[in-house]
Amino acid sequence: MEELVSESISLLAKPSKDIVGQRLGSFGAVFIMLKSALGAGLLNFPWAFARTGEIRYAVTIEMISVVFLISGLIILGYSSSISGQSTYQDVVQHLCGPVIGKLCEIFLVFNLFMISVAFLVIVADQLQKLSVYIYELINGSSESEMPHHWYTDQRIALFILCLFLILPLSIPKEIWIQKYTSVLGTLAAIYLTVVITVKYYIRAVPEHPISSVYSSGISSWTPVFSVIPTICFGFQCHEACIAIYSSLENKKLSHWVGISFVSMFFCTVIYSLTGIYGYLTFGKNVAADVLMSYSGGDVIIIIARLLFGLSIITIYPIVLLLGRSVILAPVLQHRGKYLVVTTSFESCTRVALTLAWVISTFLIAVAVPDISKVISVIGGISAFFIFIFPGMHLSHVPMRLFCLFRWALIAWGVIMLLCGMFIFGQSTSIAIMQILNKM
């Protein structure tokens, strides 16, 4: 299992052609897909379900989205097979041209950057609750009596964590800790789903009437569509799927279709259970980070906080590594045209990029403490990788295919392209309005 985890991160960090002798079977591919998709987005699902006002609307939107999600995975695997490329940006550049390829790289870096921000926001949330728990345990006082000193501020704790733990883990070329802790994300997601489901059935009787806890319906479709960015953020594994497909032992498209269906099925079950039971437990009062809705002194929830916190601390350097590699490669390539790329130059550039990344994400995470606002931005950007770029790829279907089938695929590509543009526009406009309302 540890070798499989180490291999999975290597697949995400560099093209599979550089990984000699490593080939994935069906189980390994499904495991990596699940590990890529199950993560921090899970915490936001109950809040997104609450926004729709009705569980049936949220589940309906989720099921429709899953059709597009699976379709995107299949298209990307097919695109990799006809292009012969093994990374997302290389496939886009090969099929859509260098301009679209550069645009893909820009969106990829920005998406990874915002994911890093979301990670720090979630860590800050957990630090806040853990500090309250420790204070209550030591002093026997309630949260309302907790003094607001600098050492009780989660922003200071987050800064110390970034300085002494996240930054040292992120600077090296290779993230050594990935070999031992990468499985934490999947474990934390499954544990949280089980806890939320069980907590719902053993919960105490609500203090407020049902009518005041649950939404009575929807007054417009805008809140219903607001669940889509959360779905895109939660289910996104499309950036990694081409590297996974390229390293399969069996690269038949039918085999890849099966892997995509199985992976998305398990993801759908986990996300749906978390969203439904988290919403049923807290109603419209559920926090954007569902763990913030639970009592700070609940030991079972504390374990969930620690699992999620540790998994994010270990995954953050990996996300930074992926984003940094996209930026660093053209910088070194450009310098190599005129001067020799020395080891010291590469090291200084890598350290500078790492410092800029960590500092920038920390400052944004402190300024925007609500995870829902960050996810609305990430969900919009994710539409490019899930809908827009795969839709563009279908315009390159080989002419040898049956004419009617070929045009059906092109029509589906146009539908995906239009849906992606709608999701990006809707999510971005909501994020902008939220920022303006804060001013």
Side-chain angles (χ1 to χ4, degrees):
M1 179 65 74
E2 298 299 344
E3 292 177 357
L4 178 61
V5 171
S6 176
E7 174 184 335
S8 71
I9 304 302
S10 298
L11 290 173
L12 304 184
K14 53 186 175 181
S16 60
K17 63 184 179 182
D18 296 332
I19 306 172
V20 180
Q22 292 189 358
R23 285 294 178 262
L24 286 175
S26 301
F27 174 79
V30 169
F31 175 82
I32 297 170
M33 292 280 280
L34 288 175
K35 187 169 62 61
S36 301
L38 294 174
L42 197 65
L43 300 175
N44 192 239
F45 254 69
W47 178 87
F49 273 46
R51 287 271 291 169
T52 64
E54 293 282 350
I55 288 178
R56 64 176 182 270
Y57 294 134
V59 173
T60 300
I61 293 293
E62 183 184 10
M63 294 302 107
I64 295 173
S65 299
V66 167
V67 173
F68 286 95
L69 291 163
I70 295 174
S71 174
L73 291 173
I74 295 171
I75 293 168
L76 290 171
Y78 173 75
S79 300
S80 177
S81 68
I82 64 174
S83 67
Q85 304 299 317
S86 56
T87 63
Y88 197 107
Q89 60 268 29
D90 289 340
V91 169
V92 173
Q93 184 169 357
H94 185 273
L95 294 179
C96 303
V99 175
I100 302 298
K102 288 297 180 184
L103 183 67
C104 176
E105 290 183 355
I106 293 171
F107 279 122
L108 180 60
V109 171
F110 184 75
N111 192 48
L112 292 170
F113 180 85
M114 293 306 297
I115 289 173
S116 301
V117 173
F119 284 171
L120 293 187
V121 172
I122 292 171
V123 171
D125 286 345
Q126 311 321 316
L127 287 172
Q128 178 185 345
K129 282 290 186 178
L130 288 173
S131 64
V132 171
Y133 171 70
I134 293 172
Y135 177 81
E136 291 178 348
L137 192 65
I138 295 174
N139 298 282
S141 305
S142 63
E143 181 178 355
S144 59
E145 300 173 358
M146 182 176 175
H148 295 282
H149 298 302
W150 65 269
Y151 51 82
T152 62
D153 191 335
Q154 74 271 17
R155 293 172 296 184
I156 302 298
L158 181 62
F159 173 77
I160 295 173
L161 195 65
C162 288
L163 182 62
F164 293 104
L165 189 57
I166 292 177
L167 182 60
L169 290 176
S170 302
I171 288 177
K173 282 185 179 180
E174 301 294 336
I175 309 299
W176 60 270
I177 202 171
Q178 68 193 24
K179 298 179 180 180
Y180 310 102
T181 57
S182 297
V183 75
L184 275 173
T186 304
L187 176 62
I190 295 173
Y191 178 82
L192 179 66
T193 300
V194 172
V195 166
I196 288 178
T197 304
V198 172
K199 282 281 186 181
Y200 168 74
Y201 286 105
I202 64 174
R203 76 193 192 287
V205 178
E207 298 179 1
H208 305 285
I210 291 294
S211 59
S212 66
V213 176
Y214 298 104
S215 301
S216 57
I218 57 171
S219 56
S220 70
W221 282 96
T222 301
V224 175
F225 288 121
S226 67
V227 75
I228 297 178
T230 300
I231 294 173
C232 291
F233 175 63
F235 281 84
Q236 66 172 338
C237 55
H238 295 64
E239 297 94 327
C241 76
I242 290 179
I244 296 169
Y245 171 82
S246 300
S247 296
L248 285 174
E249 291 178 344
N250 181 1
K251 294 185 181 180
K252 290 183 179 179
L253 190 60
S254 58
H255 181 239
W256 176 246
V257 170
I259 290 172
S260 301
F261 268 97
V262 172
S263 303
M264 290 299 100
F265 170 78
F266 283 110
C267 285
T268 302
V269 171
I270 291 173
Y271 277 113
S272 298
L273 288 175
T274 304
I276 290 170
Y277 286 104
Y279 170 58
L280 289 176
T281 302
F282 299 105
K284 63 185 180 182
N285 298 322
V286 66
D289 175 350
V290 67
L291 287 175
M292 297 296 287
S293 296
Y294 290 95
S295 169
D298 193 321
V299 176
I300 295 176
I301 299 299
I302 289 173
I303 295 173
R305 296 187 201 285
L306 291 174
L307 280 175
F308 256 97
L310 289 173
S311 68
I312 287 172
I313 289 170
T314 55
I315 293 172
Y316 180 101
I318 299 169
V319 174
L320 189 152
L321 171 66
L322 298 176
R324 185 181 65 198
S325 64
V326 178
I327 302 172
L328 188 60
V331 171
L332 298 180
Q333 185 179 9
H334 177 74
R335 181 176 174 85
K337 292 179 180 179
Y338 307 101
L339 298 169
V340 176
V341 179
T342 62
T343 303
S344 60
F345 177 81
E346 186 277 337
S347 299
C348 291
T349 307
R350 172 164 41 84
V351 171
L353 287 173
T354 305
L355 277 170
W357 189 288
V358 173
I359 293 171
S360 301
T361 53
F362 168 76
L363 293 175
I364 296 175
V366 170
V368 187
D370 190 343
I371 185 63
S372 64
K373 295 177 175 59
V374 181
I375 287 179
S376 65
V377 176
I378 301 172
I381 298 298
S382 298
F384 277 88
F385 302 101
I386 297 173
F387 295 89
I388 296 177
F389 291 133
M392 289 180 176
H393 293 172
L394 283 183
S395 63
H396 299 272
V397 175
M399 293 296 294
R400 65 178 179 270
L401 290 179
F402 179 59
C403 184
L404 184 61
F405 182 60
R406 180 175 185 272
W407 284 108
L409 289 178
I410 292 175
W412 181 248
V414 172
I415 292 173
M416 291 190 68
L417 186 63
L418 294 175
C419 289
M421 292 173 64
F422 168 78
I423 293 169
F424 173 72
Q426 184 250 6
S427 302
T428 305
S429 60
I430 289 176
I432 292 173
M433 286 189 292
Q434 287 177 338
I435 293 172
L436 293 176
N437 289 335
K438 286 288 185 180
M439 294 181 176

